[in-house]
Structure formats: C-alpha cells, structure tokens
Amino acid sequence: MARRKYRQETRPIRATSMWRVDQVFLNLSGQRIEVTCSLVNDDGGLRNDMTIAPTRDPREAVEFAARYIAGKGNVYRAYGARVRWTKLLATDDIDLVRDRVLEEAFLDAFEDTLAEVRDRMR
C-alpha cells in the first residue's frame, strides 16, 4: 500500500492567543449572579469563562466579571461587548434582554483593570 503524504497546517500554531470579549451573559442564581463571558480570538476560536459575582447587584456583578477577565492577561479588548440577561430573568417582571448601561459599566471596569495590568508589566 502506498503511504499518503502528511500535509502540515500552513498556518503556524500560536503559543498564545489573544482574545476579545464578545458577549457577557448574566444569570440570577440565588443571592448571586453568574456571569459568563464569551471570548473569541482572531483564528475564530471560541471560549467561555464563567465566574460567580458575590453580589445580587447587576452593576457590581459586571464590574467584578470585568476585573476577573481583564486580569487574565490574554484578553485585549472588550469594546462592543454585549451584556445580556439569560431567558430565566428576561421572562420575569424585569424584562432586560440587552442592557446598555451595564455594557458601559463592564467596559469601564475592563479598561481600568487592563490599564493597571499593563502598568504593572512595565
């Protein structure tokens, strides 16, 4: 039998990937809010990071999540990230599907934390 030639991937494998925040999902869980950040990279990769904020206040929860994600070091951007409530809360009396105020709070906390991380690296 003839052996087939192995074709190597033409693109080099990157040791580290830089990620950006695409969407942030909030889910009310008891007295805390679960925050899931959907991250994408330049190669089309998708990753979800979840954290549980120790508060029931949505603004504090997204700020907590922004500090957590920005502190990882390989997430470079959150501009344009959409903050959405999961269906569980969106069907309650508070009908929030996309919250632009929380998007601004997330972006501000993310940028502040990212600036602190970059200052420490210098």
Side-chain angles (χ1 to χ4, degrees), residues 31-102:
Q31 294 298 318
R32 297 183 174 156
I33 296 178
E34 292 178 5
V35 184
T36 304
C37 294
S38 176
L39 307 172
V40 294
N41 67 4
D42 297 336
D43 296 329
L46 177 66
R47 181 173 83 181
N48 291 328
D49 280 338
M50 199 254 322
T51 185
I52 298 176
T55 181
R56 193 176 168 98
D57 181 36
R59 184 178 184 90
E60 291 177 13
V62 295
E63 290 172 349
F64 179 84
R67 289 189 298 272
Y68 170 75
I69 293 296
K72 286 186 167 285
N74 62 344
V75 181
Y76 70 95
R77 190 176 78 163
Y79 181 77
R82 297 175 301 276
V83 175
R84 299 177 187 270
W85 286 95
T86 58
K87 283 188 170 188
L88 184 66
L89 187 63
T91 57
D92 284 351
D93 55 346
I94 307 171
D95 191 17
L96 298 174
V97 175
R98 183 175 176 187
D99 197 331
R100 297 185 193 282
V101 174
L102 292 179

Side-chain angles (χ1 to χ4, degrees), residues 19-35:
W19 298 84
R20 68 177 170 81
V21 180
D22 186 44
Q23 293 191 66
V24 178
F25 298 100
L26 304 175
N27 183 21
L28 191 59
S29 175
Q31 294 298 318
R32 297 183 174 156
I33 296 178
E34 292 178 5
V35 184

